[in-house]
Amino acid sequence: MTPRILAHLDDTPDFYLDQVAQVVMDRWWRGRVGLLGDAAFSSSPMSGQGTGLALVGAYVLAGELAAAEWNPEIGFACYEARMRSFVEANQEIAQLNARSRDIPGSDAEPGPDFTGEWFAELVERAINGVELPNYAGLPDSGVLAGPLTASSAKP
Ligand SMILES: Cc1cc2nc3c(=O)[nH]c(=O)nc-3n(C[C@H](O)[C@H](O)[C@H](O)COP(=O)(O)OP(=O)(O)OC[C@H]3O[C@@H](n4cnc5c(N)ncnc54)[C@H](O)[C@@H]3O)c2cc1C
């Protein structure tokens, strides 16, 4: 297979090559800076959930900031607390998927046993493992921040 792929590299008009990697962070925020989506917790294409994680994360982040009356430290901490386990389940699935593709060797660890109850529980947590509160009615940031002043509008 490899020689056939290499033989076509120079001619193909749509060749795509990238690394498969995860972003695993100890924390997703510091001070007034918060991370979201791939920047905080890219799961990698090995799990296939990156878009969902980014969208759910955006919803929870906005909602928790509003619920915290736009106090960033409280909002970020609540966002991370709600999302962590959900994100970690998806990242674990990606790692298991990668491990299951290892080329077996004499010293290789045995591949994961996907028939166990633990795997069903992991998949359940990866799909439904985050509660999505109804944040309707909370004030948006503009209400509390008030109109932009000349000094606050500077970059
Ligand atoms: C090959 C591949 C296959 C995938 N398949 C799936 C799949 O089947 N299902 C799935 O759910 N997910 C899949 N994903 C993952 C999914 O694409 C990502 O998890 C998702 O796009 C993350 O969204 P995001 O908004 O965090 O980041 P992105 O979608 O990467 O958005 C970040 C944006 O920021 C822009 N940007 C970067 N730097 C700057 C800057 N300095 N200033 C301004 N803008 C900037 C970028 O141009 C980009 O538009 C796949 C990813 C890859 C690479």
Side-chain angles (χ1 to χ4, degrees):
M1 177 62 95
T2 304
R4 283 178 58 201
I5 292 173
L6 293 176
H8 292 283
L9 277 193
D10 291 336
D11 305 327
T12 184
D14 58 355
F15 180 69
Y16 174 84
L17 176 70
D18 203 353
Q19 64 174 335
V20 175
Q22 279 190 339
V23 175
V24 179
M25 307 281 279
D26 292 341
R27 54 185 301 177
W28 303 337
W29 61 278
R30 189 178 300 277
R32 297 180 61 82
V33 177
L35 296 177
L36 174 66
D38 276 5
F41 41 70
S42 169
S43 187
S44 90
M46 301 299 274
S47 77
Q49 277 271 75
T51 308
L53 292 176
L55 288 172
V56 169
Y59 175 83
V60 173
L61 176 57
E64 291 301 325
L65 282 169
E69 298 183 345
W70 302 95
N71 176 315
E73 301 222 339
I74 297 173
F76 288 151
C78 293
Y79 146 74
E80 182 165 343
R82 281 197 185 279
M83 290 287 295
R84 258 284 163 202
S85 166
F86 176 55
V87 163
E88 285 175 357
N90 282 284
Q91 293 196 320
E92 192 175 339
I93 285 178
Q95 288 165 18
L96 288 168
N97 190 5
R99 256 182 58 204
S100 73
R101 290 161 194 241
D102 280 354
I103 297 166
S106 54
D107 57 349
E109 278 185 44
D113 171 17
F114 292 114
T115 62
E117 182 65 21
W118 67 272
F119 186 63
E121 285 168 11
L122 180 63
V123 171
E124 169 64 21
R125 191 155 57 90
I127 297 171
N128 295 317
V130 61
E131 188 196 346
L132 296 179
N134 182 355
Y135 298 111
L138 294 172
D140 69 32
S141 58
V143 172
L144 293 174
L148 284 179
T149 62
S151 59
S152 67
K154 282 180 187 163

